[in-house]
Amino acid sequence: MDATAKPLRIPPQMAVYAEEHKVFDILQKMVQKLLIDRPEDPIQYLLDHLRKDNDEVPRICVLGPPASGKHTMAKLLCKHLNVTHLTLENLLSSDVSVLVEEALSYKDKGQEIPDALWARLIQERLSKVDCVKRGWVLEGFPRTREQGLLLQMNGSSPDHVVVLEAPDIVLIERNMGKRTDPTTGEVYHTSFDWPDDPAVQRNLVEPEGITEEETGQNLLRYHRNIPGILQIFSNILRQINADQPCMDVLSQVLTFVLSKPRSLAPYTPRILLCGPPGSGRSLQAALLAKRYDLVNISCGQVLKEAVADQTKIGQLIEPYIENAQQVPDNLVLRILADRLSRLECSTNGWVLHGFPRDVEQAGMLSDAGFVPNRVFFLDIPDDVAVERLSLRMTDPVSGERYHSLYKPAPRVEVHKRLQRNPADSEEKVQARLDMYHANADDLEEFYDDIFHVNADQDPYTVSEFIESCVVNPLPKSVPEERPLP
């Protein structure tokens, strides 16, 4: 980038590279870790942090009252996300260390293990290679506000906190039906999850602490502590109704934990709107541009401006425009590249529509460095598209556009002078629709993480959905199994 050259242009590859490799997120995370851990040697600490390459691994706490399904949900999460399952019980039995021995000494004496010791135990366990590389799900901790603050202070705070909820009467009924297998440690229920194997049935025993009185006391203790926990984890917490089928609960939990927290990293929208003729791309682009100060780039309009300005390339494409012929892709790309690389597009972001129309054009746009970070396909039935376009007319005096059904002319004299664009005849609209459908599937495969939008509804409802997808981070993909070194 040459600051002395005018007009100033920022290479599009800079923003694409920074976003693809999460440059700003990495810097933000490193600064955050430095301020929490305050190492003696910051440079070596940062190098070690980068080698771990674990900023994206799941770090989840699953909380809830007794019998809310914490254990079941934590196991299902670990299975789906391929992460380590941590409970207070296996923290004391995973391996022998000085901290484990100290905690067991309290337990042997019948004393409560101090919160500070629990926090150090968890910190020690989270430093193990399986938790570092794959991530973890911590079940049933923290149980108090003080324990949550200790997790935050020692750098062991989760990225997502799931709190399961259900009415107390439901929880008491669930808890009283619990049975455990002393051999395997598996938990069953007399009503909801009874084993089929008669041998397992005979082996089941009633666990301690499940009477109605004991469950009620535990619920009182939980309700006394949960408000403090909700307060300190308010930004990363989701409360989910556990009084519904297990798979429905899991679906909601997975949707939450796969969502990314809001980042402070710079974000420049690069939005591509695709859709058949009449789907409302121009209107949605105008609404987005107005709301977020984006540059609205209509391919057809940019070509007409080039012709009107009598630029060299505009003179080349003028015969194609005058004869209603398709402008060669290489000339279109040159004009679009010039427009998209201007400073206002690089700093404010852009919304593009009308190009690409097929996968070859999409490849050319990508090769030129202009890669959208949000791609929307506006979907409408063909008959709706034909109705929208074939019945629209324009007032040659005022330039106002009207529609026979949705926006009729206000006066008879205005209606008499309305003119219809020959390109909006039903035959020509259907031909454009057929061309769109012939290329739509390939375009969808070309781009990752596309959004389909039902455009056959109020345009402001469509706009709200598009905006929600623009401002919210893309969800995480389910992590692949990562082998331990």
Side-chain angles (χ1 to χ4, degrees), residues 41-114:
D41 186 352
I43 301 300
Q44 187 59 48
Y45 175 86
L46 291 178
L47 290 173
D48 293 339
H49 173 76
L50 291 172
R51 289 192 188 100
K52 290 178 182 178
D53 185 27
N54 69 336
D55 285 342
E56 295 294 320
V57 300
R59 302 176 182 88
I60 305 165
C61 283
V62 178
L63 309 177
S68 59
K70 299 187 297 294
H71 185 72
T72 300
M73 201 51 51
K75 285 176 60 179
L76 290 172
L77 277 176
C78 292
K79 179 180 178 181
H80 278 77
L81 303 178
N82 187 38
V83 296
T84 301
H85 184 191
L86 302 179
T87 66
L88 298 185
E89 290 74 19
N90 66 31
L91 283 172
L92 299 180
S93 61
S94 55
D95 60 358
V96 177
S97 68
V98 175
L99 292 178
V100 171
E101 291 179 352
E102 183 179 352
L104 289 175
S105 67
Y106 279 98
K107 193 173 182 180
D108 293 340
K109 296 174 185 176
Q111 300 175 348
E112 287 283 338
I113 299 175

Side-chain angles (χ1 to χ4, degrees), residues 2 5 11 31 54 65 132 153 158 177 184 187 202 205 220 274 300 315 327 336 338 374 404 410 430 449-450 453 460:
D2 184 1
V31 171
N54 69 336
V132 170
M153 291 172 61
T184 63
V187 179
R202 289 192 295 270
V205 297
L220 285 174
C274 301
Q315 294 174 1
V327 180
L336 282 178
D338 177 75
R374 294 292 188 277
S404 299
Q430 189 60 55
D449 300 317
I450 65 171
V453 187
Y460 292 97

